[in-house]
Amino acid sequence: MDEAAFRADAPVIIVGGGPVGLSLALGLARYGVRSTVLERAFEPARESRAAVIWPRTQDILRDWNAFDALRAAGSFVTAFRALNACNEATLLSIDFAALDDVLDDPGALLLPQSDTERILRALVTEQPLCELRLGAEVTGLRQEARFVDVAFTQDGRDMTLRAPYVVGCDGAHGIVRNTLGLSLEGMTYKSRIVLSDAVLDRDFDEDARVRVCIDQPGVCAAIRFAPRTWRVIASVDETVDADIALSEEAQNARIHRVFGEASSQTLWTSLFKIHRRHAQRFVVGRVALAGDAAHLNSPAGGQGMNAGIQDAANLAWKLAWTLRSGDRATTLLESYDVERREMVTDTIERATDRLTRIALGFSPRTKRFAARTMWRAVRGRGMQRKLGRALGMLSGRYTRSPIVDSRHPLAGRRIDDLRLPDGPRIHQQRDGEAAIVVAGDFACSLPHIRVPSPPKRWHVKLPAVLIVRPDGCVASVVEKPTLAKVEAAWAHAFCGTIPLPVYC
Ligand SMILES: Cc1cc2nc3c(=O)[nH]c(=O)nc-3n(C[C@H](O)[C@H](O)[C@H](O)COP(=O)(O)OP(=O)(O)OC[C@H]3O[C@@H](n4cnc5c(N)ncnc54)[C@H](O)[C@@H]3O)c2cc1C
């Protein structure tokens, strides 16, 4: 590697400017940290994979002032109905309004990943704390005790940048993970998935966003993300040749299965392998991994990109405060590794794997039975809430983190975005910062958000104090609070980096 390493203006170098790298740059900027994003491609990806931005990810992008632009470009839906493409019968419907007490604006944002990337690129370009270098291909990495050197080529020249921290957001085949000697361990499903976007000559029932051919083996379904525009998803058996799977004839057959007699124009088609894999570590020294560079899961449930942006949310504030601590708070980065690996293995992989196995492996008869049983079970408001929380990625929990006091069942979870008695919601009041939330009647001398009567599901014995992190996760619940106990819990949650809030 080039001996003359140049110090980057930024303390964080992000390798890869896909949706996760770009989000991380915005998140770091939110906490006042400069970053340099090295992205080898000049244009955003054309292959549009992720089609949905779920509520948990919306929370994050809202905190980072990125959500309004995305929402304006996409189609925001408050309810989802999936129907059987063979007989137009409802298979499942979900109304996000059931979550209106815990979300400010409950719904799913349908937006092709190519648009998400284009908009995030524009936001990063406008953000003075972010530098986006396009056409910059990273070729190597060298980690020392106090810095990391990143070698890359741009405009035919070999260059090196030096920074205290590097994050590999360079996707499944990224060089950063390989350089760390890590691989994505797990399994690859036998079936592959063919994805395409198709514009139909007429519109179908606007209210039904998902059409599923449940009466056939494997997966064949479509999601409507704009008027007449559908993402078509179908499984392809391992024995089928790629050229055949991607042929016009096969595409017409898929369209026919999902929509019957309809003419369509296919915008693009792509064939993917699907995996359930993750790296054994998400942090090695001064280098972290996020997004597909760290984990891959099946697209069932549309969680991959969302999980990656959630990695960025977990990492951004920790990197910011580790840097401010002069690198003393190493536990913060360690907690990123523990928390995100737990979320990926215990929540995301399990849920997406279960769905994938049902979709690929069950016979049409068993699928019909499962769909009928599920539809009966989820009609009530309670089950609608449960389903909405799971799909919306609001229900995972960190239990093994060194900075979460997981003795209380609320700790490690996202705090519900409750409406406060004086009007705003908790997240609006916190505005992406760490906060003290007082539940019940406790005379707290520190700035705080008061929730006079918390919901029963919080299981808190009043009065109690909740320490909420910048990423919206509850770090600890202090029952029978005293000022000393609150101070100790705050210090533990932030490894002594974030000062206690004070009244000005
Ligand atoms: C078939 C399929 C369907 C999917 N559907 C969904 C869905 O519905 N919902 C969902 O949330 N997710 C979905 N996903 C997953 C989603 O597409 C990925 O999780 C997401 O793209 C990950 O983003 P990323 O930024 O981590 O990686 P990527 O999108 O892969 O971006 C990595 C970036 O790094 C750059 N790069 C790579 N190497 C270098 C280098 N050496 N130097 C500089 N730059 C480099 C690349 O050019 C790229 O821009 C799907 C994935 C597949 C395969």
Side-chain angles (χ1 to χ4, degrees):
M1 184 173 291
D2 187 350
E3 284 306 309
F6 295 102
R7 183 176 295 277
D9 282 342
V12 181
I13 296 174
I14 299 169
V15 182
V20 175
L22 295 169
S23 304
L24 178 62
L26 293 174
L28 288 167
R30 169 66 188 77
Y31 299 111
V33 175
R34 303 180 81 89
S35 63
T36 299
V37 183
L38 300 175
E39 166 56 51
R40 71 178 168 203
F42 285 98
E43 297 297 327
R46 190 175 152 266
E47 261 170 7
S48 178
R49 293 172 283 170
V52 188
I53 299 181
W54 293 117
R56 179 68 189 105
T57 315
Q58 296 171 26
D59 266 356
I60 294 161
L61 296 167
R62 205 173 275 119
D63 277 347
W64 298 349
N65 298 324
F67 188 62
D68 288 351
L70 294 164
R71 198 186 198 280
S75 167
F76 191 82
V77 296
T78 53
F80 239 61
R81 188 160 70 89
L83 52 78
N84 183 345
C86 303
N87 59 12
E88 307 285 313
T90 299
L91 290 173
L92 187 72
S93 111
I94 169 161
D95 186 356
F96 285 101
L99 295 172
D100 59 2
D101 58 337
V102 298
L103 288 172
D104 186 19
D105 190 14
L109 178 65
L110 301 174
L111 185 66
Q113 187 172 326
S114 46
D115 288 341
T116 302
E117 281 190 48
R118 178 179 51 77
I119 292 165
L120 291 176
R121 264 194 185 199
L123 292 170
V124 165
T125 307
E126 284 163 15
Q127 168 52 255
L129 293 177
C130 305
E131 183 198 15
L132 174 60
R133 292 199 181 190
L134 299 177
E137 175 156 13
V138 172
T139 52
L141 209 72
R142 187 168 62 101
Q143 197 170 171
E144 295 286 338
R146 300 184 63 78
F147 57 82
V148 188
D149 282 341
V150 178
F152 64 101
T153 55
Q154 194 177 18
D155 302 327
R157 287 194 304 146
D158 291 336
M159 286 179 264
T160 305
L161 279 182
R162 174 172 291 181
Y165 292 98
V166 169
V167 186
C169 301
D170 46 348
H173 307 288
I175 190 169
V176 177
R177 191 190 60 248
N178 288 338
T179 312
L180 297 175
L182 297 171
S183 57
L184 291 176
E185 290 189 359
M187 52 87 68
T188 298
Y189 297 87
K190 281 188 181 155
S191 295
R192 291 156 298 161
I193 292 283
V194 64
L195 280 192
S196 59
D197 282 356
V199 182
L200 298 188
D201 62 343
R202 64 189 168 94
D203 222 343
F204 282 73
D205 186 355
E206 262 199 39
D207 165 48
R209 293 279 164 179
V210 185
R211 296 175 68 85
V212 187
C213 300
I214 201 169
D215 295 307
Q216 286 160 19
V219 177
C220 191
I223 301 173
R224 178 186 188 276
F225 58 82
R228 298 192 295 117
T229 310
W230 294 75
R231 163 73 42 85
V232 183
I233 306 152
S235 56
V236 177
D237 197 75
E238 57 183 323
T239 54
V240 176
D241 191 73
D243 290 343
I244 293 178
L246 294 170
S247 66
E248 198 181 331
E249 205 182 340
Q251 175 68 357
N252 288 341
R254 287 188 285 267
I255 298 281
H256 184 74
R257 265 191 277 164
V258 187
F259 300 103
E261 293 308 322
S263 314
S264 67
Q265 185 203 349
T266 296
L267 304 178
W268 58 267
T269 318
S270 201
L271 184 67
F272 297 89
K273 284 186 181 162
I274 51 173
H275 312 268
R276 173 189 175 157
R277 294 177 177 275
H278 59 267
Q280 308 84 66
R281 295 174 70 185
F282 288 7
V283 177
V284 177
R286 293 177 168 276
V287 182
L289 299 171
D292 279 15
H295 47 81
L296 289 176
N297 56 264
S298 145
Q303 308 218 323
M305 180 190 76
N306 284 269
I309 296 174
Q310 291 162 31
D311 292 342
N314 190 294
L315 184 57
W317 70 271
K318 292 177 179 175
L319 269 177
W321 290 98
T322 304
L323 281 159
R324 273 181 206 137
S325 79
D327 287 347
R328 286 189 311 279
T330 49
T331 314
L332 279 183
L333 275 191
E334 192 191 309
S335 76
Y336 168 72
D337 178 39
V338 174
E339 290 178 5
R340 292 312 294 168
R341 270 193 299 119
E342 179 180 11
M343 190 61 77
V344 165
T345 55
D346 292 16
T347 304
I348 296 165
E349 282 188 355
R350 272 192 205 163
T352 55
D353 184 55
R354 199 175 302 136
L355 271 177
T356 309
R357 285 179 196 277
I358 292 173
L360 292 175
F362 280 23
S363 68
R365 200 178 146 171
T366 318
K367 277 196 277 192
R368 271 196 303 272
F369 174 75
R372 264 200 313 273
T373 314
M374 171 112 168
W375 180 215
R376 258 186 240 126
V378 301
R379 283 186 203 199
R381 186 172 159 91
M383 284 305 287
Q384 283 280 309
R385 283 177 65 83
K386 218 170 173 178
L387 187 63
R389 288 182 76 96
L391 256 185
M393 302 181 81
L394 298 164
S395 55
R397 184 179 177 214
Y398 304 131
T399 64
R400 298 197 273 273
S401 170
I403 58 167
V404 169
D405 183 354
S406 59
R407 287 172 298 178
H408 194 284
L410 196 58
R413 297 186 186 281
R414 166 197 181 265
I415 190 166
D416 292 338
D417 195 12
L418 302 181
R419 186 170 294 290
L420 300 167
D422 49 354
R425 298 254 183 180
I426 290 182
H427 287 313
Q428 192 187 343
Q429 188 94 335
R430 274 191 326 108
D431 194 21
E433 302 289 347
I436 292 174
V437 172
V438 173
D441 198 11
F442 168 61
C444 185
S445 54
L446 302 166
H448 61 272
I449 297 167
R450 185 172 293 278
V451 177
S453 345
K456 273 196 186 137
R457 61 177 176 274
W458 281 17
H459 300 291
V460 287
K461 289 194 197 98
L462 299 181
V465 168
L466 279 56
I467 308 294
V468 181
R469 314 189 319 188
D471 59 4
C473 168
V474 177
S476 71
V477 177
V478 184
E479 289 177 335
K480 296 189 189 154
T482 61
L483 187 58
K485 278 169 68 178
V486 172
E487 283 176 0
W490 182 279
H492 181 255
F494 305 121
C495 302
T497 56
I498 305 187
L500 264 171
V502 285
Y503 283 112
C504 301

